[in-house]
Amino acid sequence: MKILAVETSCDDTGIAILEASQKGDFKVLSNIVSSQIEVHKKYGGVYPALAKREHQKNLVPTLIEALKKSGFLRVNEQKSKNKNLKIKTILEREPELYKKIIPFLQKYEKPDVDLIAVTNGPGLEPCLWVGVNFAKVLSYFWDIPIVPVNHIESHILVNYLKNKKINFPAISLVVSGGHTQLILIKKMGSYKILGETRDDAAGECFDKAAKILGLSYPGGQIISEFASKKLGRMTSQFLPRPMISTKDYDFSFSGLKTAVLYHHRKQPAKIQKSKKYIQEMCAEIQQAIIDVLLKKTIKSAKDYKVKTIILGGGVSANKELRKQFQNKINKEIKNTLFFVPKPDLSTDNGLMTAITGYFHRNQKIGRSDLPKLKADGNLRIK
Ligand code: KG4
Ligand code: ZN
């Protein structure tokens, strides 16, 4: 079967087309991500209203690119039946998208796709709605069923692309710009959140710390680049590791961000601008975040005697974090499998949505049930 997936939960517009064989082998036909980084950079963070506008602009061109790459973009010889009125109702709140989608639907043929998967939460609700309504229009116009997909589950299941043998129970650490959760997976599709952040997410901490240091957005990758250039070993830990020794599996990163702010403010202006200082700060911020994530994940893995550890989410693209997880697992829990996506699949993309849609293909809904499909910014994995 072929699945077309739509992902708009934050600031990336992702469209992918995935082919799954009867045996469940995957072939990626296309995975196109249109990033909004340049738009949000000026503000040092994501503005939902701006992000919603960008998704409206980017969805149709991203879909065209994905269809072209998959060999599915064919000009329609016959004019499609007029369904504009219904589409206008679905896209009542997305007028810019409406203007772009009508000429697209009139011009091109229905692609050879069996299912549409769309992220319906969690995430920024205005952004989620654009993706959901876009998927509804495609579903309605082409008469293809839809399956709604949980974004956190997608960050976990993207690992199935390369690793079909996940041994259960497994533990997954999902660390992104919006979430930091430790999730116990008893068996495929059965999740329990053991702990999560009480305030800022780990990615948010990277982004806010970068802003304090005058670095650009998103901060995670920039901090990791500066950190990797630091010479010599760290001599002292000068930032806190919040909640590192608590017995629960929760996290807290807002105190770390505040500590970065106070430490930075105390430095003379000349030091604040020096490369050596920035490199040391970045290395320490990164290490503080890794220390907490690593300690709590290994603790949960031992407590629950898990057989697999799975990472996902934008922060799992961090090279140093991946390396330190691998080393720790090799040393302390040798027989545990360790899976982490390729860096470009750690951050948001449509392929993760397609894979998750495949696993939930039996929960698809048809045309008559489309009005029931809603976006939910606070959707929980279960
Ligand atoms: O999963 P994602 O693309 O979007 C959300 O669902 O939030 O994650 C984005 C987050 C940002 O906070 C970004 O700074 C962080 O992932 N990130 C990184 C790295 N690459 C992206 N954090 C640390 N190291 C990286 N290399
Ligand atoms: Zn994400």
Side-chain angles (χ1 to χ4, degrees):
M1 77 184 303
K2 295 185 198 81
I3 302 170
L4 185 153
V6 180
E7 152 59 37
T8 61
S9 66
C10 190
D11 60 343
D12 289 304
T13 312
I15 305 267
I17 303 176
L18 175 75
E19 184 170 0
S21 73
Q22 292 271 343
K23 275 172 35 201
D25 291 329
F26 295 139
K27 185 174 168 197
V28 182
L29 302 184
S30 57
N31 183 30
I32 311 291
V33 178
S34 167
S35 162
Q36 302 178 6
I37 285 177
E38 287 309 314
V39 177
H40 298 291
K41 227 177 194 169
K42 316 192 236 321
Y43 309 99
V46 181
Y47 274 76
L50 249 183
K52 174 182 166 172
R53 201 185 70 195
E54 289 302 303
H55 286 307
Q56 291 192 66
K57 249 201 264 171
N58 297 339
L59 272 166
V60 172
T62 312
L63 174 63
I64 290 178
E65 206 180 326
L67 289 171
K68 200 186 257 173
K69 182 109 196 274
S70 312
F72 291 160
L73 191 71
R74 278 183 294 268
V75 173
N76 204 349
E77 298 303 335
Q78 298 152 4
K79 226 175 156 36
S80 301
K81 275 187 262 151
N82 201 333
K83 299 173 185 166
N84 294 8
L85 212 61
K86 172 77 181 171
I87 294 172
K88 197 164 190 174
T89 316
I90 298 175
L91 294 178
E92 216 168 24
R93 287 163 184 264
E94 288 87 16
E96 288 174 52
L97 178 57
Y98 175 74
K99 271 189 240 151
K100 285 193 163 244
I101 206 167
I102 292 296
F104 163 80
L105 291 170
Q106 297 289 357
K107 183 168 177 186
Y108 296 106
E109 264 182 29
K110 172 182 172 176
D112 178 20
V113 162
D114 309 285
L115 182 66
I116 295 170
V118 63
T119 309
N120 73 325
L124 301 173
E125 208 154 291
C127 298
L128 290 164
W129 269 116
V130 184
V132 166
N133 287 335
F134 177 72
K136 281 187 187 186
V137 168
L138 300 181
S139 165
Y140 173 77
F141 199 82
W142 289 333
D143 197 12
I144 299 173
I146 294 193
V147 60
V149 164
N150 180 302
H151 183 65
I152 301 292
E153 189 178 13
S154 304
H155 272 308
I156 301 172
L157 295 188
V158 73
N159 284 283
Y160 261 94
L161 188 66
K162 287 274 172 299
N163 310 291
K164 288 285 179 322
K165 287 214 179 86
I166 292 179
N167 292 337
F168 297 106
I171 195 95
S172 183
L173 173 72
V174 176
V175 261
S176 70
H179 295 89
T180 302
Q181 291 183 334
L182 258 179
I183 300 161
L184 178 69
I185 315 171
K186 289 185 202 133
K187 59 180 188 339
M188 186 65 188
S190 160
Y191 305 99
K192 185 177 174 210
I193 300 174
L194 296 180
E196 59 194 317
T197 184
R198 296 184 180 179
D199 39 59
D200 293 352
E204 195 177 353
C205 185
F206 270 112
D207 297 340
K208 287 178 173 168
K211 198 172 173 182
I212 292 167
L213 297 181
L215 307 175
S216 83
Y217 174 86
Q221 188 167 351
I222 292 166
I223 287 190
S224 99
E225 279 161 23
F226 275 105
S228 70
K229 294 199 177 91
K230 186 196 160 293
L231 297 172
R233 284 173 60 88
M234 288 304 285
T235 43
S236 70
Q237 288 187 1
F238 57 89
L239 291 173
R241 271 68 174 154
M243 294 185 72
I244 194 161
S245 298
T246 57
K247 289 205 171 74
D248 52 36
Y249 305 104
D250 281 345
F251 304 92
S252 164
F253 290 104
S254 91
L256 175 57
K257 165 199 67 192
T258 311
V260 170
L261 178 68
Y262 289 157
H263 185 88
H264 186 64
R265 273 193 191 150
K266 273 195 289 186
Q267 311 304 315
K270 203 173 146 209
I271 298 279
Q272 283 180 347
K273 290 201 183 70
S274 88
K275 220 186 221 166
K276 183 169 175 281
Y277 163 77
I278 294 287
Q279 287 166 354
E280 277 175 7
M281 277 301 274
C282 288
E284 173 65 354
I285 293 162
Q286 177 176 268
Q287 195 55 52
I289 294 173
I290 294 176
D291 282 348
V292 181
L293 295 175
L294 190 53
K295 176 95 185 277
K296 292 254 160 145
T297 308
I298 298 296
K299 172 178 156 51
S300 68
K302 287 179 180 169
D303 290 351
Y304 285 88
K305 300 186 174 51
V306 305
K307 296 181 177 146
T308 311
I309 294 178
I310 303 168
L311 300 190
V315 177
S316 72
N318 188 283
K319 259 195 209 151
E320 191 58 32
L321 176 134
R322 298 157 84 98
K323 191 174 95 189
Q324 293 188 25
F325 262 79
Q326 184 68 72
N327 290 344
K328 189 89 171 170
I329 291 166
N330 289 349
K331 223 160 123 194
E332 290 190 19
I333 34 177
K334 274 196 192 68
N335 296 325
T336 313
L337 298 173
F338 175 53
F339 298 142
V340 57
K342 276 196 327 168
D344 62 329
L345 294 179
S346 288
T347 49
D348 291 347
N349 61 86
L351 186 56
M352 61 198 250
T353 314
I355 293 172
T356 310
Y358 170 77
F359 284 106
H360 290 285
R361 60 195 180 282
N362 293 336
Q363 287 147 32
K364 66 186 177 198
I365 56 171
R367 254 188 193 166
S368 55
D369 282 330
L370 286 185
K372 285 189 203 150
L373 176 56
K374 305 240 185 293
D376 178 359
N378 298 314
L379 192 70
R380 305 276 287 176
I381 191 170
K382 49 180 193 281

